[in-house]
Amino acid sequence: QVQLVESGGGLVQAGGSLRLSCAASGSIVRIGAMNWYRQAPGKQRELVAASTSTGSTSYADSVKGRFTISRDNAKNTMYLQMNSLKPEDTAVYYCYVGHWGGTTWSHYWGQGTQVTVSS
């Protein structure tokens, strides 16, 4: 089992910045993908940023140039630096981890952290 703990959400004015963290712990064998998703009220959960264990990253068009995903593989921790925040970035942000337990891949989600951007 892998546990994910998110932190760093909060209330910020438009144009401000926040940094989210997601720390994985437990019986970790190998972590593959580490991604950030978000879900706004009344909308489907969407992929915001993705990272692979080899360092590749990708972003939703809506956050390109403003958000940066990074990870510290030694600490099994992932970050999302969010700059130039807009009211439309308001959502609950979830981290996702793909974990190889030796025989199969499993999928884990964080509990979610609220990000609210005021205009």
Side-chain angles (χ1 to χ4, degrees):
Q1 280 285 54
V2 175
Q3 294 80 44
L4 302 178
V5 177
E6 299 180 36
S7 60
L11 173 64
V12 64
Q13 288 189 331
S17 298
L18 283 174
R19 189 191 194 210
L20 305 183
S21 299
C22 174
S25 63
S27 302
I28 295 173
V29 176
R30 181 161 71 95
I31 290 176
M34 296 185 85
N35 304 336
W36 288 99
Y37 290 76
R38 68 185 180 188
Q39 187 166 18
K43 294 188 177 182
Q44 289 189 330
R45 189 173 297 189
E46 63 172 350
L47 178 62
V48 175
S51 72
T52 69
S53 59
T54 57
S56 298
T57 60
S58 60
Y59 299 90
D61 288 343
S62 58
V63 306
K64 279 181 182 176
R66 300 188 297 122
F67 290 11
T68 302
I69 188 172
S70 61
R71 54 195 282 175
D72 184 335
N73 290 328
K75 296 181 179 180
N76 294 320
T77 300
M78 170 177 65
Y79 307 95
L80 185 67
Q81 178 66 44
M82 304 185 294
N83 299 329
S84 302
L85 283 161
K86 304 176 181 180
E88 51 264 43
D89 294 318
T90 296
V92 178
Y93 284 70
Y94 298 90
C95 64
Y96 160 89
V97 163
H99 177 256
W100 175 253
T103 58
T104 187
W105 285 97
S106 298
H107 311 283
Y108 295 93
W109 292 88
Q111 80 281 7
T113 185
Q114 177 70 47
V115 171
T116 302
V117 184
S118 63
S119 57

